[in-house]
Amino acid sequence: NAVQRSEADGVAYALIDLLARYEVTENVALSVNARNVTNSRYISSLTFDQSFAGPPRTILGTLSVTY
C-alpha cells in the first residue's frame, strides 16, 4: 500500500476587516462592514483530506432604526 502524503506551507497572513458607523439621528444609524479588504486568497480551514478557501472581499451595508 502506498501512503500519499501532503504538506501545507504554513505561510503567515493577516486579514483586514473594517467597520464604519454613522448615527444620522438618535434613532437612525448607518453602518458599512468590509471583510477581507485586500481580497487576499487564503485557506480558512484545513482538515486531514480537504482544504477550504476563505471568502473573497465582502461588503455589507446596514440601516438600523430604533423606536
Side-chain angles (χ1 to χ4, degrees), residues 2 14 16 20 26-27 29 32-33 35-36 40 44 48 51-52 54 56 62:
I16 299 172
E26 187 177 313
N27 299 331
V32 176
N33 187 357
R35 293 184 176 175
N36 192 8
S40 299
S44 65
F48 176 72
S51 63
F52 298 95
T62 306

Side-chain angles (χ1 to χ4, degrees), residues 16-67:
I16 299 172
D17 297 341
L18 300 173
L19 172 67
R21 180 179 167 96
Y22 176 70
E23 291 192 11
V24 179
T25 67
E26 187 177 313
N27 299 331
V28 178
L30 298 170
S31 63
V32 176
N33 187 357
R35 293 184 176 175
N36 192 8
V37 174
T38 59
N39 205 26
S40 299
R41 294 181 67 172
Y42 65 97
I43 296 175
S44 65
S45 176
L46 182 62
T47 62
F48 176 72
D49 61 348
Q50 302 181 39
S51 63
F52 298 95
R57 179 184 304 125
T58 306
I59 299 174
L60 175 69
T62 306
L63 170 67
S64 301
V65 179
T66 58
Y67 53 93

